[in-house]
Amino acid sequence: MNPLIRKYLRSEYAQGKRRTIFCPGCGNGIILGYFIRAIDELKREGRFDDSKLYIVTGIGCSGNIPVPLKYNIVRALHGRALSVATGIKLVRPDSEVVVFAGDGDLLSIGGNHLIHTIRRNVGIKVILVNNMLYGMTGGQVAPTTPMDAITHTTPYGNPEPPLDACRLAVSLGATYVARWAVPLAKQCIQSIKELLLHRGFGLLECLSQCPVYQGRYVIGIDRPSKIMDYFLKITVVSNEPRYGDKIIIGKFADYERPTYEEIMWGIMSRVREDGGHEA
Ligand SMILES: Cc1ncc(C[n+]2csc(CCOP(=O)(O)OP(=O)(O)O)c2C)c(N)n1
Ligand code: SF4
Ligand SMILES: [Mg+2]
């Protein structure tokens, strides 16, 4: 058995008594593996203290990614993971708060929270799993679904262009932004490491395969390995915002500015020095 399994998974999962809910070939299990490897490498390098790690998820298949892990996990309401994560980070500014969210969860019902969490530069790290639709509820259209794609709710093709989460995040001042795809293991693990070490708000979008719905309907390929080949064909590493019809992957932002928790704790200590505020 891979020693990382015993080290990071709850015993019932490590012993095979419980299994993840993921369909065979889903990208979610692979992303879980990348997350564990990134944490393990950082710990061995002495650069990450996982005793301070809190994980928050939204609702969706991707929200199940951290469930087998030994860490403290909060499953928030659909679209509200960032609000819960903000609360944890504000109360415990020295904690490491990671959010796993689906594209529907983060960009559709949770889109407004994303905008303001980035604007404030709350020091939480978001791993966005973009499988181009709502997986858990049966393959409905999401803000990330490609135009003209067939889904359960767009049987005649999606009439809307997709939202580029990374461009949105950069425009709002996100201090770490990257996008990779599940077949690019080295880049995904490296990016998760950078995200975990980053001080302000960070977003890593990971293009991921949902062989059941995205594969069958959106892309028309249902073999997971073929979908991963397809991701490599439709993506390109570039610094340009547009590159023909291809999806740009790479790192788009990595800098620092004051975080919301630093500012809020600064205000609180000034209030205390003033002896509190009287209305
Ligand atoms: C308030 C609320 N509205 C709708 C739902 C139903 N629901 C559950 S998961 C989901 C979408 C999941 O899609 P995504 O976030 O892309 O995650 P995926 O399953 O694709 O990983 C929806 C609409 C819900 N649980 N709560
Ligand atoms: S429905 Fe899709 S995203 Fe959900 S577990 Fe199955 S393959 Fe993965
Ligand atoms: Mg999805």
Side-chain angles (χ1 to χ4, degrees):
M1 184 196 288
N2 184 328
L4 295 182
I5 291 181
R6 198 170 299 124
K7 201 166 159 191
Y8 291 98
L9 298 196
R10 295 177 194 277
S11 59
E12 64 269 30
Y13 287 94
Q15 291 163 9
K17 290 182 190 157
R18 287 187 80 172
R19 290 170 187 274
T20 68
I21 65 152
F22 306 138
C23 310
C26 177
N28 288 337
I30 302 176
I31 294 172
L32 171 61
Y34 294 162
F35 187 67
I36 291 171
R37 283 179 182 83
I39 288 191
D40 196 63
E41 283 181 25
L42 285 177
K43 279 180 67 176
R44 279 189 285 114
E45 291 159 8
R47 296 200 286 163
F48 189 73
D49 178 5
D50 65 349
S51 68
K52 293 179 179 166
L53 178 60
Y54 296 86
I55 301 177
V56 185
T57 80
I59 302 298
C61 297
S62 39
N64 281 297
I65 291 176
V67 168
L69 294 172
K70 285 180 182 170
Y71 297 113
N72 290 309
I73 298 164
V74 181
R75 295 216 68 184
L77 290 175
H78 190 33
R80 301 294 178 268
L82 293 181
S83 315
V84 174
T86 297
I88 297 172
K89 190 68 186 169
L90 273 181
V91 173
R92 298 209 174 157
D94 64 335
S95 60
E96 305 291 345
V97 185
V98 172
V99 170
F100 282 89
D103 43 343
D105 190 85
L106 195 78
L107 305 173
S108 193
I109 192 169
N112 192 34
H113 295 271
L114 178 67
I115 291 171
H116 299 292
T117 309
I118 296 177
R119 178 173 66 86
R120 295 173 180 140
N121 195 28
V122 186
I124 58 186
K125 330 295 162 71
V126 179
I127 298 177
L128 161 61
V129 180
N130 179 359
N131 57 10
M132 303 174 176
L133 42 59
Y134 296 178
M136 177 170 267
T137 42
Q140 293 85 1
V141 71
T144 45
T145 306
M147 203 157 179
D148 299 329
I150 305 293
T151 69
H152 270 200
T153 42
T154 58
Y156 293 93
N158 178 20
E160 302 174 10
L163 175 70
D164 184 331
C166 289
R167 290 185 75 192
L168 176 71
V170 168
S171 75
L172 292 164
T175 51
Y176 183 92
V177 183
R179 172 164 48 221
W180 296 105
V182 163
L184 299 164
K186 212 173 115 196
Q187 291 88 337
C188 288
I189 294 169
Q190 176 60 26
S191 197
I192 295 171
K193 287 173 74 176
E194 290 174 5
L195 194 66
L196 290 172
L197 295 177
H198 188 72
R199 218 178 96 246
F201 180 92
L203 174 74
L204 165 62
E205 176 183 343
C206 194
L207 288 179
S208 178
Q209 71 271 22
C210 162
V212 176
Y213 298 114
Q214 170 214 54
R216 196 183 303 160
Y217 300 114
V218 176
I219 304 175
I221 311 167
D222 53 13
R223 262 184 62 193
S225 61
K226 297 272 178 222
I227 302 176
M228 292 206 277
D229 291 344
Y230 172 79
F231 284 159
L232 295 177
K233 265 190 226 137
I234 62 163
T235 53
V236 61
V237 179
S238 172
N239 292 323
E240 300 296 323
R242 289 236 176 272
Y243 201 104
D245 286 342
K246 298 225 173 189
I247 298 174
I248 308 288
I249 51 175
K251 184 157 73 173
F252 310 116
D254 192 356
Y255 69 100
E256 292 202 349
R257 64 182 170 96
T259 65
Y260 191 54
E261 56 277 11
E262 287 162 0
I263 293 168
M264 289 303 285
W265 277 79
I267 291 174
M268 283 192 282
S269 65
R270 280 185 359 238
V271 170
R272 267 191 222 108
E273 274 164 26
D274 287 351
H277 175 75
E278 285 182 33

